[in-house]
């Protein structure tokens, strides 16, 4: 391709600003386009919002701990549970999954970076802009005066100005729109990365299960986000410019919002859980020392969930009066979607069956996901039975169910992922003793918090009601749940302490090298130094098998026993290749996101501010387009510079034959 | 055609640096358009859901639509797809002068369509149909307004290409950029065919 490059382009760079340089200091983070740094920033931001959302949850539990609670008023309570839900779904679980997707997808398919590094940076900053806008609603114009207060699914017509006159719902509509842009851009980018940037030999069915699950997640985002985009636009038009979409007085049917929201909202549920499924599918084989059981079934069940996830949305609406035929159809489809999910659970169990189990912290979290998610899945199937669901709708039984799948499934999986890939990202392991202790504290606290909610729900306690009377019989289990919530908080604090203490200990010990593959794992991400060098791999890897890295490490001797074929130090890259061309940092992603943030506040408060935001946004788009290419020969691509890498062939040659048994050492 | 030229053409049409043979940029545009289908799907559903929800004496579709006028402006927009095809084929052949002409023609036809829409909106408004008048008004303006915004963004991209070409920055090697913007343009046209059929032609 470079042969036909016009010399005119090469010698006449567009644009006036030079690109930022340097890889040290705060600027290198603000302007970075490196997928690994962006992944780390996603993770850090998600942890910050996790603490925010957690504190909100503690206030809910304080209010409900005793009958006739008076810790926060009824109005504030509406705001607290709404912002808690919105924060945890859109600002915690989704970006935490994005952290792993950003960090790991390019590594797992053997690429240098994502398909569009600058767009990747934009996704992060745009997400952060949405998060800042949503979170600021808690204190702009007074403490909890302008916070969204319609529940995370924000049903019409309660979301109209008539019933919610504060600016809270405006923050909801605009803030989620902004995080939606971030998710959409990120989805396009990551799908292009997985489909297009795979290294030689990495066919689709040699990709790790995590890569598959994240790919399916991105497709779900790609098609689900535009639906909520429409719903949020309609809501915004209604609130800001007096249109009639949800105006019942003008003949509108508020079910329109429910349908649009849940056509997005149910795929969203799988967007939350599939990344955790992928993480568990990486952790369990590693610590069972077995390949994943039924790889093709694992992938196919993920794809099946991806398709069927679109046909179950109305099970959120069984009591909306949509008619017996719809209820029956969605009831059946909902029971049916439990099948591929069950396939996954059984495959994880079969992977562990007769494996050489090592109960490290990540493994504990993974097993926690399998067991807790199964409870949540089973209570989910009970909702598919429409008559029973009619009884349970809007009770604490529902709250119990979705916390078992989102906390017990998604969040535990993501925390397991933190422990598992921490050495890859930072070069040292988190402390195992603290990790295991914090796991058990979290797990026990979790079950004490959400287990009793099943009982409360079946007793008839409604969600979203700020208090209850002493004679209703809810007091005991509510107290238990509130104590459990604080136990979870202790578990999270122990995790944060672990991060601090492990980092300090590692620094004081002179930053010892943890090695490329501390867990004896299977994916390509372990085949390079820890922390991952900026250029990922010293040379392009040619993949011949699923679990390529494992098969380079281990082979079988004549009797069929698994034996060490080569030491990791010979197979893994050491990160010493400094001749790899990488994309330069860029100012524009963060500037563009700042423009979007201004537009967001402008829509809520003052259209002149929005006009200024649009000006900044348009300027940033042109600055982005006209930014000089960092290297005329690269023309935006940096994926394969195999020609520049003389060192490549040596490494390939060493690792080429996985069965060098003279060097082998038995693992048994 | 010599072997070198054939290889060059092959190199232009297929990207060997990617696993699928489709360039990242083109794949991204296809994915984006897939997502856009759901955006317009949501808006069209909203319109169909709401258009009949007006009172018997309310201003409705039959009171405002001027089918012959909108048919002409639809025809203009469809013709712009034809000129877009010429723009893509001319740059693939390296004919930069014609490429500029066709880019400008496409943008001009698109602008004519948008001007027609502005005229139509003004006329409807003067007949008493505002964005806030009733559910039909809200849904109609939201759907066609979103489409008009898409056409406008397309015109801006076409004009940007035109300026790039005048400045000498749009050569044959960037033919794919024109092609990708062409994909967007054709998509917006196809969506209009659906909207025109459902909104204007279906019996009310």
């Amino acid at each position: 391709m470079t042969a036909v490059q016009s010399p005119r382009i090469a010698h006449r760079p567009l644009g006036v600003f030079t690109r930022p340089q340097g890889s040290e200091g705060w600027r290198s983070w603000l302007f970075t386009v490196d997928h690994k740094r962006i992944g780390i920033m996603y993770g850090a931001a998600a942890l910050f919002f996790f603490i925010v959302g957690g504190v909100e949850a503690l206030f809910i539990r304080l209010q409900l701990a005793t009958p006739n609670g008076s810790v926060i008023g009824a109005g504030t309570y509406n705001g607290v549970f709404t912002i808690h839900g919105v924060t945890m779904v859109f600002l915690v679980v989704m970006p935490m999954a994005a952290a792993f997707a950003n960090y790991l997808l390019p590594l797992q398919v053997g690429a240098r970076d994502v398909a569009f590094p600058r767009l990747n940076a934009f996704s992060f900053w745009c997400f952060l802009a949405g998060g800042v806008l949503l979170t600021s609603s808690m204190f702009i114009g007074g403490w909890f005066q302008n916070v969204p207060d319609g529940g995370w699914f924000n049903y019409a017509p309660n979301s109209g100005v008539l019933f919610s006159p504060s600016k809270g719902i405006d923050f909801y509509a605009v803030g989620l729109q902004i995080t939606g842009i971030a998710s959409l851009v990120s989805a396009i980018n990551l799908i292009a990365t997985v489909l297009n940037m795979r290294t030689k030999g990495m066919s689709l069915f040699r990709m790790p299960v995590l890569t598959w699950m994240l790919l399916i997640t991105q497709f779900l985002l790609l098609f689900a986000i535009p639906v909520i985009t429409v719903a949020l636009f309609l809501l915004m038009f209604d609130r800001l410019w007096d249109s009639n979409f949800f105006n019942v007085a003008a003949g509108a049917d508020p079910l329109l919002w429910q349908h649009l929201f849940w056509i997005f909202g149910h795929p969203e549920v799988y967007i939350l859980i599939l990344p955790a499924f992928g993480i568990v599918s990486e952790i369990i084989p590693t610590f069972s020392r077995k390949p994943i059981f039924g790889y093709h079934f694992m992938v196919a069940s993920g794809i099946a969930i991806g398709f069927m996830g679109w046909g179950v949305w109305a099970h959120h609406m069984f009591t909306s009066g949509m008619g017996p035929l719809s209820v029956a159809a969605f009831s059946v489809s909902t029971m049916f979607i439990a099948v591929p999910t069950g396939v996954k659970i059984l495959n994880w169990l079969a992977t562990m069956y007769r494996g050489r189990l090592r109960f490290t912290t990540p493994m504990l979290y993974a097993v926690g996901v399998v067991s807790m998610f199964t409870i949540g899945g089973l209570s989910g199937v009970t909702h598919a039975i429409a008559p029973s669901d009619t009884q349970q709708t809007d009770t604490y039984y529902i709250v119990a169910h979705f916390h078992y799948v989102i906390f017990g499934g998604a969040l535990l999986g993501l925390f397991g992922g933190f422990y598992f890939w921490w050495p890859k990202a930072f070069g040292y392991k988190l402390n195992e003793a603290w990790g295991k202790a914090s796991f058990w504290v979290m797990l026990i606290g979790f079950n004490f918090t959400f287990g009793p909610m099943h009982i409360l729900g079946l007793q008839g306690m409604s969600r979203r009601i700020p208090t209850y009377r002493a004679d209703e019989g809810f007091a005991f289990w509510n107290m238990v749940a509130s104590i459990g919530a604080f136990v979870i908080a202790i578990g999270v604090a122990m995790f944060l302490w672990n991060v601090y203490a492990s980092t300090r200990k590692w620094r004081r010990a002179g930053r010892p090298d943890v090695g490329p593959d501390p867990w004896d794992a299977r994916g390509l991400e372990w085949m390079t130094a820890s922390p991952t060098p900026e250029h990922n791999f010293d040379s392009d890897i040619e993949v011949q098998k699923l679990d390529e890295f494992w098969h380079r490490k281990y082979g079988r001797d004549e009797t069929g026993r698994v034996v060490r074929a080569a030491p990791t130090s010979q197979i893994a890259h050491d990160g010493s290749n400094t001749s790899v061309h990488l994309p330069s940092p860029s100012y524009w992603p963060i500037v563009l996101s700042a423009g979007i943030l201004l537009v967001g506040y402008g829509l809520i408060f003052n259209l002149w501010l929005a006009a200024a935001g649009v000006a900044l946004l348009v300027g940033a788009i042109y600055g982005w387009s006209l930014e000089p290419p960092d290297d005329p020969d690269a023309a935006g691509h940096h994926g394969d510079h195999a020609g520049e890498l003389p060192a490549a062939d040596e490494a390939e040659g060493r690792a080429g034959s996985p069965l060098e048994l003279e060097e082998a050492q038995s693992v048994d | 055609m010599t072997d070198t030229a054939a290889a060059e053409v092959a190199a232009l049409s297929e990207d060997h640096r990617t696993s699928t043979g489709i360039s990242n940029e083109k794949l991204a545009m296809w994915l984006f358009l897939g997502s856009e289908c759901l955006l317009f799907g949501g808006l069209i559903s909203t319109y169909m859901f709401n258009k009949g929800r007006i009172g018997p004496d309310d201003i409705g579709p039959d009171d405002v639509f001027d089918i012959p006028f909108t048919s002409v402006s639809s025809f203009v927009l469809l013709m712009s797809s034809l000129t877009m095809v010429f723009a893509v084929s001319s740059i693939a052949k390296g004919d930069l002068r014609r490429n500029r002409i066709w880019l400008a023609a496409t943008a001009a036809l698109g602008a004519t369509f948008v001007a027609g829409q502005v005229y139509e909106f003004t006329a409807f408004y003067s007949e008493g149909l505002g964005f806030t008048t009733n559910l039909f008004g809200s849904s109609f303006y939201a759907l066609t307004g979103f489409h008009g915004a898409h056409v406008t963004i397309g015109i801006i991209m076409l004009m940007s290409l035109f300026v790039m070409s005048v400045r000498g920055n749009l050569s044959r090697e960037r033919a794919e950029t024109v092609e990708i913007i062409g994909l967007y343009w054709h998509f917006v046209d196809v969506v209009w065919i659906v909207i025109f059929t459902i909104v204007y032609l279906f019996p009310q």
Side-chain angles (χ1 to χ4, degrees):
Chain A
M1 282 304 284
T2 46
V4 291
Q5 199 79 40
S6 157
R8 194 162 189 183
I9 295 171
H11 296 300
R12 189 175 161 190
L14 294 156
V16 283
F17 292 101
T18 53
R19 295 182 73 137
Q21 298 295 333
S23 57
E24 301 284 324
W26 57 272
R27 281 188 195 83
S28 68
W29 288 88
L30 288 189
F31 306 132
T32 187
V33 295
D34 178 355
H35 72 99
K36 298 176 289 294
R37 287 181 171 221
I38 292 166
I40 290 169
M41 290 195 291
Y42 260 118
L47 272 179
F48 168 75
F49 287 120
F50 181 60
I51 294 166
V52 174
V55 170
E56 288 152 7
L58 292 180
F59 274 101
I60 298 177
R61 286 318 318 169
L62 276 179
Q63 166 71 10
L64 292 176
T66 54
N68 306 314
S70 56
V71 178
I72 46 181
T76 311
Y77 184 82
N78 287 346
V80 173
F81 74 70
T82 301
I83 197 76
H84 164 73
V86 171
T87 302
M88 287 301 190
V89 170
F90 294 97
L91 308 182
V92 177
V93 179
M94 287 174 76
M96 226 181 247
F100 289 101
N102 269 286
Y103 199 99
L104 292 172
L105 275 184
L107 286 170
Q108 288 205 323
V109 299
R112 290 252 181 269
D113 205 315
V114 293
F116 303 100
R118 286 186 298 175
L119 278 182
N120 202 25
F122 167 70
S123 293
F124 169 72
W125 293 112
C126 185
F127 146 72
L128 196 65
V132 165
L133 188 126
L134 276 169
T135 305
S136 69
S137 71
M138 287 194 284
F139 45 81
I140 284 185
W143 197 242
F144 276 84
Q145 294 304 303
N146 285 307
V147 73
D149 55 1
W152 84 281
F153 44 66
N154 200 36
Y155 277 172
N158 279 348
S159 55
V161 179
L162 186 62
F163 300 107
S164 184
S166 79
K167 291 189 182 296
I169 308 284
D170 301 326
F171 274 102
Y172 173 95
V174 175
L176 292 191
Q177 199 74 279
I178 295 174
T179 61
I181 296 169
S183 297
L184 183 66
V185 171
S186 173
I188 292 172
N189 198 350
L190 293 175
I191 294 172
T193 305
V194 173
L195 293 184
N196 257 354
M197 311 282 286
R198 282 168 286 142
T199 190
K200 200 174 171 193
M202 179 63 85
S203 61
L204 288 177
F205 284 98
R206 287 178 190 160
M207 299 194 310
V209 178
L210 174 62
T211 305
W212 263 107
M213 293 307 122
L214 290 171
L215 177 66
I216 296 163
T217 305
Q218 304 311 317
F219 269 107
L220 287 173
L221 281 167
L222 184 74
F223 294 122
I225 293 291
V227 183
I228 196 174
T229 300
V230 171
L232 293 170
F233 268 126
L234 302 185
L235 176 65
M236 190 179 91
F237 293 159
D238 265 18
R239 291 189 57 95
L240 299 182
W241 297 309
D242 296 329
S243 60
N244 300 303
F245 295 104
F246 306 113
N247 178 4
V248 181
D253 185 343
L255 275 192
L256 176 66
W257 171 272
Q258 294 197 22
H259 279 293
L260 288 174
F261 187 86
W262 289 117
I263 289 174
F264 153 79
H266 204 84
E268 168 74 13
V269 171
Y270 297 104
I271 289 164
L272 299 178
I273 193 65
L274 284 178
F277 281 1
I279 289 169
V280 170
S281 303
E282 298 293 304
I283 293 175
I284 286 184
T286 299
F287 297 111
S288 305
R289 298 189 69 82
K290 282 174 67 186
I292 188 89
F293 182 87
Y295 167 81
H296 289 91
F297 278 92
M298 279 313 240
V299 173
S301 61
I303 296 172
I305 291 173
F307 277 104
M308 291 161 69
W310 293 91
V312 296
W313 81 86
H315 68 211
H316 297 269
M317 301 163 58
F318 280 157
T319 56
S320 67
M322 61 185 177
L325 186 66
S326 307
V327 170
F330 282 99
S331 193
V332 171
S333 65
T334 304
M335 289 182 200
F336 208 51
I337 202 168
V339 175
T341 317
V343 166
K344 287 192 174 298
I345 304 270
L346 290 175
N347 280 0
W348 289 323
L349 296 179
T351 306
M352 289 167 66
Y353 179 65
R354 304 190 73 177
R356 294 167 52 82
L357 302 182
R358 280 183 291 159
F359 281 101
T360 58
T361 311
M363 184 65 166
L364 287 178
Y365 275 100
V367 175
V369 171
V370 176
S371 45
M372 293 304 111
F373 183 83
T374 304
I375 298 175
L378 288 175
S379 65
V381 176
T382 67
H383 299 150
I385 302 158
S388 149
D389 182 74
T390 308
Q391 183 69 25
Q392 294 150 6
T393 292
D394 279 343
T395 69
Y396 265 85
Y397 191 83
I398 304 286
V399 180
H401 159 69
F402 67 67
H403 281 96
Y404 264 85
V405 288
I406 293 178
F407 193 134
L411 258 181
L412 286 187
L414 293 162
F415 268 90
F418 277 142
Y419 281 96
F420 190 56
W421 281 288
W422 198 275
K424 182 48 65 186
F426 300 106
Y428 58 93
K429 282 186 185 177
L430 293 176
N431 182 286
E432 278 285 300
W434 274 98
K436 287 176 185 175
S438 78
F439 165 77
W440 285 111
V441 172
M442 267 167 88
L443 189 82
I444 292 167
F446 164 75
N447 278 296
F448 272 105
T449 309
F450 300 108
M453 289 186 188
H454 291 107
I455 302 167
L456 286 169
L458 292 176
Q459 285 178 337
M461 180 172 168
S462 291
R463 49 191 294 214
R464 302 195 215 95
I465 305 289
T467 188
Y468 51 92
R469 294 193 316 273
D471 59 1
E472 285 177 295
F474 302 147
F476 175 72
W477 289 118
N478 268 305
M479 179 53 86
V480 172
S482 294
I483 293 168
F486 282 89
V487 176
I488 296 176
I490 293 168
V492 173
M494 287 166 74
F495 167 78
L496 295 173
W497 168 257
N498 192 358
V499 169
Y500 169 74
S502 301
T503 310
R504 193 184 54 179
K505 190 178 168 200
W506 175 69
R507 286 193 175 148
R508 285 190 180 162
R511 300 171 187 251
D513 185 9
V514 73
D517 181 27
W519 304 111
D520 200 7
R522 314 177 77 88
L524 285 189
E525 72 270 28
W526 305 103
M527 215 172 125
T528 188
S530 305
T532 318
E534 205 180 350
H535 57 276
N536 291 1
F537 300 106
D538 288 341
S539 59
D540 288 346
I541 299 167
E542 190 172 341
V543 174
Q544 286 159 343
K545 287 194 172 89
L546 175 67
D547 290 339
E548 173 75 15
F549 179 49
W550 175 269
H551 288 289
R552 290 189 188 191
K553 286 190 294 186
Y554 294 97
R556 288 182 185 280
D557 65 11
E558 301 82 6
T559 59
R561 284 157 54 89
V562 173
V563 288
R564 210 22 136 148
T568 305
S569 57
Q570 279 191 17
I571 305 165
H573 300 178
D574 57 9
S576 59
N577 185 351
T578 52
S579 66
V580 182
H581 169 74
L582 291 167
S584 296
S586 172
Y587 297 114
W588 299 109
I590 192 170
V591 176
L592 184 55
S593 307
I596 288 179
L597 185 63
L598 270 185
V599 173
Y601 280 116
L603 283 172
I604 298 171
F605 291 107
N606 186 333
L607 287 180
W608 287 109
L609 191 60
V614 169
L616 184 60
L617 196 151
V618 171
I621 289 174
Y622 274 90
W624 179 308
S625 312
L626 301 178
E627 192 167 45
D630 41 4
D631 173 359
D633 293 333
H637 289 271
H638 54 276
D640 32 17
H641 286 247
E644 295 177 9
L645 303 173
D649 308 305
E650 280 177 46
E652 293 290 320
R654 273 207 304 270
S657 58
L659 289 173
E660 289 170 306
L661 289 179
E662 62 272 18
E663 283 182 8
Q665 57 192 56
S666 171
V667 295
D668 284 80
Chain B
M1 195 182 262
T2 64
D3 284 353
T4 336
E8 215 171 278
V9 170
L12 283 174
S13 60
E14 200 177 315
D15 196 329
H16 293 289
R17 295 167 304 189
T18 67
S19 312
T20 56
I22 305 168
S23 75
N24 287 339
E25 290 78 6
K26 198 193 274 184
L27 182 63
M29 181 52 88
W30 278 115
L31 292 168
F32 173 68
L33 296 181
S35 180
E36 290 273 275
C37 287
L38 273 285
L39 181 89
F40 281 105
L43 287 165
I44 291 170
S45 309
T46 302
Y47 174 81
M48 293 175 74
F49 189 75
N50 279 341
K51 69 172 179 178
R53 294 176 175 273
I54 50 173
D57 302 324
D58 253 6
I59 185 163
D62 292 331
D63 304 318
V64 290
F65 283 166
D66 181 356
I67 307 288
F69 177 84
T70 315
S71 302
V72 171
S73 72
S74 303
F75 179 76
V76 168
L77 188 65
L78 288 192
M79 285 305 103
S80 76
S81 257
L82 186 67
T83 55
M84 189 73 229
V85 170
F86 290 145
V88 173
S89 78
S90 55
I91 194 160
K93 288 182 200 143
D95 189 342
L96 301 182
R97 198 181 64 86
R98 277 191 197 192
N99 176 246
R100 278 198 285 277
I101 293 171
W102 291 122
L103 285 174
T106 312
L109 289 170
T112 311
F113 173 82
V114 173
Q117 198 173 37
V118 170
Y119 167 77
E120 192 184 39
F121 281 13
T122 322
F124 289 2
Y125 187 75
S126 65
E127 288 172 49
L129 183 74
F131 186 52
T132 60
T133 307
N134 56 25
L135 265 173
F136 164 67
S138 297
S139 308
F140 171 80
Y141 285 117
L143 172 57
T144 51
F146 262 98
H147 182 267
H150 276 74
V151 178
T152 308
I153 289 168
I155 294 168
I156 292 169
M157 291 198 291
L158 289 167
M159 294 311 294
S160 303
L161 283 181
F162 184 82
V163 172
M164 277 172 74
S165 185
V166 169
R167 289 185 38 156
N169 286 317
L170 191 68
S171 54
R172 190 182 174 188
E173 292 71 46
R174 293 221 178 147
E176 197 186 72
T177 309
V178 179
E179 193 190 336
I180 290 168
I181 290 175
L183 284 177
Y184 173 86
W185 191 261
H186 295 314
F187 171 81
V188 171
D189 280 10
V190 169
V191 168
W192 180 254
I193 295 175
V194 177
I195 294 176
F196 181 60
T197 312
I198 289 179
V199 174
Y200 291 84
L201 298 185
F202 272 15
Q204 302 304 332

